């Protein structure tokens, strides 16, 4: 069966919604459970397709995993396999984050090159280089990255780019290495901080999380913990843009608004009223949005995962916008689908020039990745008629209960299953 969404345009979204734990954090936390024998419990986990995928990866390594609604319970044995199942790993990109824990715990890791969203090349060279500086030997062999080390030793590692994935794998490898590791030009995303907080609770010695220099002093062993996953800032940002897109009024809970500071500042520039609270925010858009420019950058810059939603808003804003994508070279694949809906958008290298129109027109469109799919749904909310969004399995990987939440806010969206 394949599902698609039928999105009826014209609704003004109003109400409150609470976000679950972050997709970009929970999968890395599940991988970190490999570092300690015993039972790890994660709370506030999103019920998205990628969580069962990661559970399958961990089961293939010898863990027992129970998925109980918002809780994930992982029983990690004393002996685990170092060979991640190729079929499970190829389902999604975040599976590569088992590389660091396996290298640290087993001194060997064999992880198939991962799958995931088609948003551009995401090589593992920085992951390999970081592990090699810690004393591992790495190679690509038979479609897998192989890492091997008799022992890992702390080292100075400087990333060419603040890669989230490379930061995570170097962190999880270094916590059990001998000596001290200093990781420069590290990623600063809230999900990295969340991983550091869980590792610290497990007994790791880490300082500098949230800055571009993280220092890790290796310890002999870690212990399992209970941990609550940080709120999903990308889902929260999607609801913020849904409010602006439909000239609506949405209050979002379960998120630290500091994690979306620049995003909310951009929405103020388009004309939205924004209020922030300790655990959430409210966005109200009363008039037609004003066009603004965007460029994606690592945190605390504007997140690449919210670029499709920003572009959707630009298509109906008053004036011209230029959107610059600095992270993934293929992230503009969905722009052709936006033009099917009547958007005036022209790609020029890693820029898109968007001239706002007053109304979009419904049409069948296809999701190319998680965030592109969500952006197309937002566009469909402002189109005339009914927009059919296909390949929504992508959206299911990042947005729990997306249709139900949209309808609770006043939208009319229907999921249809066909053979």
């Amino acid at each position: 069966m394949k599902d698609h969404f039928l999105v009826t345009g014209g609704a003004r979204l109003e109400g409150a919604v609470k976000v679950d734990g972050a997709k970009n954090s929970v999968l890395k936390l599940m991988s970190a459970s490999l570092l300690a024998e015993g039972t790890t419990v994660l709370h506030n986990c999103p019920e998205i397709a990628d969580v069962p995928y990661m559970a399958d990866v961990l089961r293939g390594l010898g863990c027992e995993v129970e998925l109980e609604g918002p809780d994930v319970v992982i029983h990690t044995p004393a002996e685990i396999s170092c060979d991640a199942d190729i079929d499970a790993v190829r389902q999604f990109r975040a599976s590569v984050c088992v590389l660091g824990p396996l290298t640290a715990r087993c001194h060997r890791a064999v992880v198939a090159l991962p799958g995931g969203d088609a948003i551009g090349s995401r090589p593992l060279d920085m992951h390999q280089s970081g592990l090699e500086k810690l004393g591992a030997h790495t190679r690509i062999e038979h479609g897998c990255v192989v890492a091997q080390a008799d022992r890992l030793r702390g080292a100075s590692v400087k990333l060419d780019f603040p890669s989230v994935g490379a930061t995570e794998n170097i962190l999880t490898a270094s916590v059990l290495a001998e000596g001290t590791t200093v990781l420069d030009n590290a990623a600063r995303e809230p999900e990295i901080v969340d991983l550091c907080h869980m590792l610290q609770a497990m007994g790791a010695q880490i300082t500098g999380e949230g800055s571009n220099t993280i220092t890790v002093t290796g310890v002999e062993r870690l212990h399992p913990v209970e941990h609550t996953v940080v709120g999903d800032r990308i889902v929260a940002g999607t609801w913020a843009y849904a409010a602006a897109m439909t000239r609506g009024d949405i209050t979002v809970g379960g998120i630290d608004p500091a994690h979306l500071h620049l995003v909310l500042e951009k929405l103020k520039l388009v004309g939205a009223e924004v209020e922030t609270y300790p655990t959430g925010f409210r966005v109200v858009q009363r008039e037609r949005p004003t066009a603004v420019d965007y460029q994606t950058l690592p945190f605390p810059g504007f997140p690449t995962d919210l670029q499709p939603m920003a572009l959707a808003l630009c298509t109906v804003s008053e004036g011209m916008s230029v959107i610059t994508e600095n992270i993934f070279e293929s992230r503009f694949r969905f722009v052709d689908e936006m033009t099917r809906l009547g958007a005036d958008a022209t790609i020029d290298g890693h820029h898109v020039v968007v001239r706002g129109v007053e109304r979009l027109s419904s049409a069948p469109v296809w999701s190319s990745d998680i965030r592109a799919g969500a952006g197309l749904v937002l566009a469909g909310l402002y189109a005339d008629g009914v927009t059919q969004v296909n390949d929504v399995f992508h959206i299911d990987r990042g947005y729990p209960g997306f249709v139900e939440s949209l309808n609770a806010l006043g939208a009319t969206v229907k999921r249809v299953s066909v053979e």
Side-chain angles (χ1 to χ4, degrees), residues 119-140:
I119 55 177
S121 175
R122 293 187 280 183
L124 300 182
D125 52 343
M126 282 190 284
H127 302 242
Q128 292 179 254
S129 174
L131 292 177
E132 287 171 0
K133 288 182 179 177
L134 296 176
H137 299 283
T138 74
R139 63 186 184 277
I140 302 296

Side-chain angles (χ1 to χ4, degrees), residues 260-270 274:
L260 287 166
H261 175 72
L262 182 57
V263 172
L264 297 178
E265 290 300 309
K266 283 287 187 179
L267 286 172
K268 291 178 185 177
L269 292 177
V270 307
V274 179

Side-chain angles (χ1 to χ4, degrees), residues 244-278:
M245 189 83 190
T246 64
R247 302 183 196 179
D249 180 351
I250 300 178
T251 299
V252 183
I255 185 70
D256 183 347
H259 296 167
L260 287 166
H261 175 72
L262 182 57
V263 172
L264 297 178
E265 290 300 309
K266 283 287 187 179
L267 286 172
K268 291 178 185 177
L269 292 177
V270 307
E273 300 168 18
V274 179
E275 296 178 65
T276 59
Y277 315 104

Side-chain angles (χ1 to χ4, degrees), residues 311-392:
L311 193 148
L313 182 63
C314 290
T315 65
V316 297
S317 296
E318 187 171 0
M320 185 182 78
S321 305
V322 177
I323 298 177
T324 303
E325 174 58 54
N326 294 307
I327 309 298
F328 294 122
E329 72 274 11
S330 297
R331 188 121 235 183
F332 287 145
R333 289 182 61 190
F334 77 102
V335 172
D336 287 343
E337 302 305 302
M338 285 289 187
T339 61
R340 290 180 192 271
L341 297 173
D344 183 349
T346 305
I347 301 174
D348 181 8
H350 65 120
H351 309 282
V352 174
V353 178
V354 183
R355 294 172 177 84
V357 297
E358 291 193 5
R359 177 66 69 177
L360 300 174
S361 57
S362 58
V365 291
W366 280 261
S367 306
S368 56
D369 64 78
I370 298 171
R371 312 307 173 183
L376 290 168
V377 170
L378 296 198
L381 292 171
Y382 201 71
D384 61 10
V386 178
T387 295
Q388 180 172 316
V389 181
N390 298 289
D391 292 343
V392 298

Side-chain angles (χ1 to χ4, degrees), residues 19 83 94 100 145 160-161 174 186 196 205 252 279 291 311 320 322 340 373 382 384 401 404 409 413 416 418:
V19 300
D83 194 341
V145 57
D160 295 334
F161 175 85
S174 64
C196 288
Q205 296 184 18
V252 183
T279 58
L311 193 148
M320 185 182 78
V322 177
R340 290 180 192 271
Y382 201 71
D384 61 10
E404 294 78 6
L409 293 169
V413 180
V416 178
V418 294

Side-chain angles (χ1 to χ4, degrees), residues 85-130:
D85 178 72
I86 188 167
D87 290 328
V89 167
R90 290 185 63 190
Q91 295 281 345
F92 64 118
R93 175 71 189 182
S95 56
V96 75
C97 60
V98 301
L99 181 62
L102 290 178
T103 306
R105 180 94 187 275
C106 305
H107 304 291
R108 176 178 167 82
V110 181
V111 182
L113 296 174
D117 289 334
I119 55 177
S121 175
R122 293 187 280 183
L124 300 182
D125 52 343
M126 282 190 284
H127 302 242
Q128 292 179 254
S129 174

